[in-house]
């Protein structure tokens, strides 16, 4: 009987913990897929700040503009996931599907994917196109986003 109770309680506890962290909006260490509303709230509200860049977050972030059918996007996805875990607590990782969020892609002039947007807490973002090697991404995170040079 105790064994059966454990079989029920452990999945319930796991489910409760996972749901509470997801509901709190904390997705540190993960790459979070964003829609327009999320982007406006967490990265940049271009509807209210049309003439100046105002970052909405409190930690630097990376936004990966991608498409599900894109080969280079598929190759960089696991690298982004590794980096999200590596920089958990320091950098937030997002991704935007350009097929689903055409307006966001248009606003940022995304014509080639993947396009990676590096967003510091202060200052303007920088964009890079293509599936960058992990070492290049790390250098950009360390020097530009975390200013460790």
């Amino acid at each position: 009987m105790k064994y059966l109770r454990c079989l029920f309680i452990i999945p319930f506890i796991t489910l409760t913990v996972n749901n509470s962290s997801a509901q709190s909006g904390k997705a540190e260490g993960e790459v979070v897929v964003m829609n327009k509303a999320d982007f406006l709230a967490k990265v940049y509200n271009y509807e209210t700040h049309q003439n100046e860049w105002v970052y909405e977050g409190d930690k630097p972030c990376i936004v990966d503009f991608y498409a599900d059918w894109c080969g280079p996007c598929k190759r960089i996805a696991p690298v982004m996931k590794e980096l999200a875990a590596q920089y958990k607590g320091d950098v937030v990782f997002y991704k935007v599907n350009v097929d689903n969020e055409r307006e966001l892609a248009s606003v940022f002039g995304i014509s080639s994917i993947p396009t990676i947007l590096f967003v510091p807490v202060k200052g303007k973002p920088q964009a890079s196109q293509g599936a960058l090697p992990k070492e290049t991404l790390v250098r950009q995170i360390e020097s530009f986003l975390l200013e460790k040079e």
Side-chain angles (χ1 to χ4, degrees):
M1 188 66 170
K2 287 183 182 180
Y3 176 75
L4 288 175
R5 191 176 310 154
C6 287
L7 284 177
F8 174 73
I9 292 174
I10 291 173
F12 177 75
I13 291 170
T14 304
L15 184 61
T16 304
V17 169
N18 286 342
N19 282 344
S20 65
S21 64
Q23 290 172 354
S24 69
K26 304 246 185 205
E28 291 185 1
E30 299 176 19
V31 180
V32 179
V33 178
M34 301 186 97
N35 59 25
K36 177 186 173 186
D38 294 332
F39 191 90
L40 293 175
K42 297 177 182 176
V43 180
Y44 170 56
N45 190 331
Y46 53 84
E47 294 176 339
T48 55
H49 301 288
Q50 296 174 359
N51 297 322
E52 67 176 319
W53 175 266
V54 177
Y55 180 49
E56 302 293 340
D58 59 355
K59 293 179 186 171
C61 77
I62 291 179
V63 182
D64 175 14
F65 289 91
Y66 78 103
D68 290 330
W69 49 264
C70 166
C73 299
K74 290 178 184 179
R75 285 193 301 275
I76 200 170
V79 173
M80 289 297 207
K81 193 170 186 173
E82 286 176 29
L83 291 173
Q86 180 178 338
Y87 289 100
K88 179 180 179 178
D90 295 324
V91 179
V92 183
F93 286 74
Y94 299 118
K95 60 194 295 181
V96 173
N97 185 318
V98 297
D99 290 330
N100 297 340
E101 301 297 333
R102 294 181 188 271
E103 182 180 323
L104 283 175
S106 175
V107 165
F108 284 92
I110 306 299
S111 59
S112 176
I113 51 175
T115 294
I116 311 299
L117 191 66
F118 297 91
V119 184
V121 174
K122 302 232 187 271
K124 297 193 185 236
Q126 292 181 357
S128 294
Q129 294 180 339
L132 301 173
K134 183 177 180 179
E135 299 77 32
T136 302
L137 292 167
V138 167
R139 268 195 312 275
Q140 189 71 347
I141 291 167
E142 294 284 329
S143 65
F144 182 65
L145 295 182
L146 300 178
E147 299 176 339
K148 289 188 176 179
E149 279 193 353

